Amino acid sequence: MDVKETVLSILSDLTGNDVSGAMDDNLFDSGLLDSMGSVQLLLQLQSQLGVNVPVSEFERSEWDTPNKIVKKVESLA
């Protein structure tokens, strides 16, 4: 499974929504992700992709759309 598929799968599990058709939608503004969801997202990325992002280094503006999340994970993988 590639990074994009994995990220979309994680987001689908966390939000209960298929966000693949809304890759540039802000997940926080739409209410799909909140601070708890962010922590869950980071834990799942670490578990499934081996990407370690400390919560203290999590900048919401860099992780607020599915596209940004995919790019960020790819840059860290």
Side-chain angles (χ1 to χ4, degrees):
M1 192 180 276
D2 69 12
V3 168
K4 182 177 178 181
E5 288 178 19
T6 303
V7 168
L8 288 174
S9 173
I10 292 168
L11 288 173
S12 176
D13 289 347
L14 288 178
T15 67
N17 288 279
D18 175 5
V19 297
S20 61
M23 295 297 290
D24 291 311
D25 286 5
N26 188 305
L27 297 169
F28 295 99
D29 290 350
S30 65
L32 293 176
L33 266 188
D34 56 17
S35 56
M36 191 62 195
S38 300
V39 173
Q40 293 294 325
L41 172 65
L42 296 180
L43 290 172
Q44 287 300 316
L45 291 172
Q46 183 175 7
S47 168
Q48 294 187 37
L49 294 169
V51 174
N52 188 17
V53 180
V55 174
S56 59
E57 294 177 19
F58 180 84
E59 286 292 331
R60 194 165 110 165
S61 63
E62 296 176 3
W63 297 82
D64 58 6
T65 72
N67 270 331
K68 285 184 183 178
I69 295 168
V70 170
K71 285 186 181 131
K72 192 74 173 170
V73 170
E74 286 174 343
S75 75
L76 296 169

